[in-house]
């Protein structure tokens, strides 16, 4: 989720008095920080507490503003930070260089407060709209949990993180049982409502802020659980199974139970260079299918042997 505090400003100028002046013009509306060199600006921009927008002086003794901007735009973590150049240089050549490097705007000193505030406000609004659109593009329209696109990106990121830190990563695949029969007998609207309530209950079962629930497709969902071993993931899977059961959604046409149930597949492994994230997913999918064939409304658990088998094509 995007928080208002994520929209801070960094003012960069080797002359502290200049930086102070801009800070004073903006601090009533934004959280403003200052940096007095290119190196310091890059360090703050690369930190966990990065600014949303940088007001960047061009002429600085060590790393100049153009170079700071070039580095910011070249790195994935910092490329989305909005950069506005502030300089005494008024030649169009300098402005052109700045804009071509990826800055969105260019202000010349002396900066007038109403102009500065208006430009910053406009660029912040654009930034917020872009962030909101991006966030929406990761949400499933029917159930409002994350979609497959978000899951795929998160799986890759968590796989790499797990590999770096040698921490286990778990996946729980979740599939509603006899869902076609539910649609056929109660109608698609009831099916949709069931998926909505089910997704909400599944998402509420997750405890850690790093856990993620996504709709994988149709009536299939997936939970991504970083830093979670097989035992921990099984506990989560059972919590989710019980949460769906507790909804008591009527399903008289299910051969498994009189209410809606789910089957789950659980897999966990510590990522290594020899293996890809897709293997973990296939492993969870495989044991989910086992749970289905063994009677549904149950949890399939991947054994270590299954993980070894995965080195062979399936
Ligand atoms: P199993 O227990 O083996 O999983 O049986 P199933 O009937 O759940 O599985 P199957 O793959 O045969 O059918 C899945 C059904 O889920 C068919 C499809 O129409 C329904 N479905 C998929 N997405 C949606 C949706 O967004 N809304 C509704 N109402 N139904 C959906
Ligand atoms: Mg199903």
């Amino acid at each position: 989720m995007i928080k208002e505090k994520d929209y801070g400003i960094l003012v960069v100028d080797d002359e502290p008095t200049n930086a102070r002046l801009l800070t004073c013009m903006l601090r009533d509306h934004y959280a403003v920080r200052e940096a007095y060199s290119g190196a310091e600006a890059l360090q703050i921009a690369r930190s966990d507490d990065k600014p949303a927008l940088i007001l960047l002086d061009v002429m600085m003794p060590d790393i100049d503003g153009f170079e700071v901007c070039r580095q910011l735009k070249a790195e994935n973590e910092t490329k989305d930070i909005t950069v506005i150049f502030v300089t005494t240089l008024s030649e169009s050549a300098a402005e052109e260089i700045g804009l071509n490097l990826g800055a969105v705007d260019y202000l010349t000193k002396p900066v007038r407060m109403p102009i500065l505030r208006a430009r910053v406000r406009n660029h912040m609004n654009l930034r917020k709209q872009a962030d909101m659109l991006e966030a929406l593009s990761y949400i499933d329209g029917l159930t409002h949990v994350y979609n497959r696109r978000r899951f795929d990106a998160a799986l890759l990121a968590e796989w790499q993180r797990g590999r770096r830190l040698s921490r286990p990563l778990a996946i729980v695949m979740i599939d509603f049982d006899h869902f076609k029969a539910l649609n056929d007998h109660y109608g698609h609207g009831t099916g949709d409502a069931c998926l909505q309530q089910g997704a909400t209950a599944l998402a509420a079962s997750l405890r850690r802020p790093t856990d993620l629930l996504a709709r994988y497709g149709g009536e299939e969902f997936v939970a991504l659980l970083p830093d979670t071993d097989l035992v921990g993931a099984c506990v989560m899977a059972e919590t989710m199974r019980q949460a769906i059961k507790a909804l008591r959604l009527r399903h008289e046409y299910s051969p498994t139970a009189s209410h809606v149930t789910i089957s789950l597949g659980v897999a966990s492994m510590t990522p290594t260079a020899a293996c890809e994230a897709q293997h973990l997913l296939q492993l969870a999918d495989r044991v989910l299918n086992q749970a289905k064939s063994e009677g549904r409304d149950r949890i399939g658990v991947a054994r270590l042997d299954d993980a070894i088998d995965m080195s062979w094509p399936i």
Side-chain angles (χ1 to χ4, degrees):
M1 263 298 125
I2 308 156
K3 291 178 256 70
E4 202 51 34
K5 79 166 186 55
D6 292 336
Y7 293 94
I9 294 177
L10 178 66
V11 176
V12 188
D13 200 308
D14 59 309
E15 180 53 64
T17 326
N18 290 343
R20 204 87 280 268
L21 196 66
L22 294 181
T23 300
C24 288
M25 292 181 186
L26 295 166
R27 69 176 168 203
D28 286 350
H29 298 92
Y30 304 96
V32 187
R33 279 176 292 173
E34 295 174 8
Y36 309 115
S37 70
E40 198 187 344
L42 285 169
Q43 192 193 345
I44 295 174
R46 288 170 179 146
S47 73
D48 286 341
D49 189 18
K50 57 174 63 61
L53 184 147
I54 300 183
L55 289 167
L56 187 56
D57 186 25
V58 173
M59 301 280 252
M60 289 187 291
D62 59 343
I63 309 171
D64 71 16
F66 291 143
E67 178 57 19
V68 171
C69 184
R70 200 192 57 71
Q71 290 195 29
L72 291 176
K73 296 297 161 186
E75 291 168 24
N76 220 17
E77 292 294 299
T78 53
K79 68 176 172 29
D80 292 331
I81 297 175
T82 301
V83 175
I84 299 177
F85 279 115
V86 184
T87 183
T88 42
L89 294 176
S90 53
E91 312 95 79
S92 57
E95 187 170 345
E96 193 182 324
I97 296 170
L99 294 175
N100 280 331
L101 281 170
V104 294
D105 214 341
Y106 205 92
L107 289 165
T108 43
K109 295 176 193 171
V111 174
R112 289 181 43 227
M113 184 154 91
I115 301 294
L116 174 72
R117 283 188 173 174
R119 295 226 174 139
V120 166
R121 189 179 59 237
N122 288 345
H123 288 300
M124 279 296 201
N125 283 342
L126 284 173
R127 172 70 199 274
K128 286 178 187 178
Q129 281 167 17
D131 285 355
M132 201 137 35
L133 279 178
E134 196 194 3
L136 279 177
S137 76
Y138 284 130
I139 300 292
D140 173 58
L142 177 71
T143 61
H144 299 164
V145 299
Y146 286 116
N147 59 18
R148 171 80 173 265
R149 200 162 96 89
R150 177 74 182 93
F151 171 78
D152 286 343
L155 174 61
L156 214 62
E158 290 300 341
W159 183 265
Q160 281 160 3
R161 189 179 156 276
R163 212 182 119 182
R164 224 172 35 245
L165 305 176
S166 287
R167 300 294 304 161
L169 178 64
I171 279 184
V172 182
M173 293 291 297
I174 305 141
D175 189 281
F176 282 77
D177 298 325
H178 305 296
F179 207 73
K180 188 173 176 325
L182 185 107
N183 270 328
D184 289 350
H185 290 94
Y186 298 107
H188 227 76
T190 304
D192 283 356
C194 169
L195 290 180
Q196 286 167 333
Q197 288 183 59
T200 304
L202 293 173
S205 306
L206 302 183
R207 290 273 164 256
R208 297 184 193 162
T210 46
D211 293 346
L212 177 148
L213 181 82
R215 186 176 180 198
Y216 197 67
E219 25 77 83
E220 194 168 14
F221 292 79
V222 60
L224 183 68
L225 311 172
D227 269 334
T228 309
D229 61 15
L230 198 59
V231 175
C234 286
V235 171
M236 290 309 301
E238 179 58 14
T239 307
M240 289 191 269
R241 196 181 71 84
Q242 293 293 347
I244 295 299
K245 222 181 184 78
L247 292 175
R248 292 271 148 200
L249 298 168
R250 192 162 61 102
H251 192 350
E252 287 158 279
Y253 303 93
S254 162
T256 305
S258 57
H259 52 267
V260 170
T261 58
I262 51 174
S263 297
L264 306 96
V266 180
S268 174
M269 63 166 75
T270 301
T272 64
C275 201
E276 283 178 15
Q278 286 305 315
H279 287 208
L280 182 62
L281 203 56
Q282 287 167 2
L283 204 53
D285 205 38
R286 186 199 276 184
V287 287
L288 166 62
N289 286 334
Q290 268 170 25
K292 287 277 183 193
S293 58
E294 284 168 13
R296 296 177 173 81
D297 187 21
R298 69 193 61 207
I299 301 166
V301 182
R303 294 162 298 113
L304 188 62
D305 300 353
D306 296 325
I308 293 163
D309 283 351
M310 294 302 291
S311 55
W312 299 96
I314 53 168

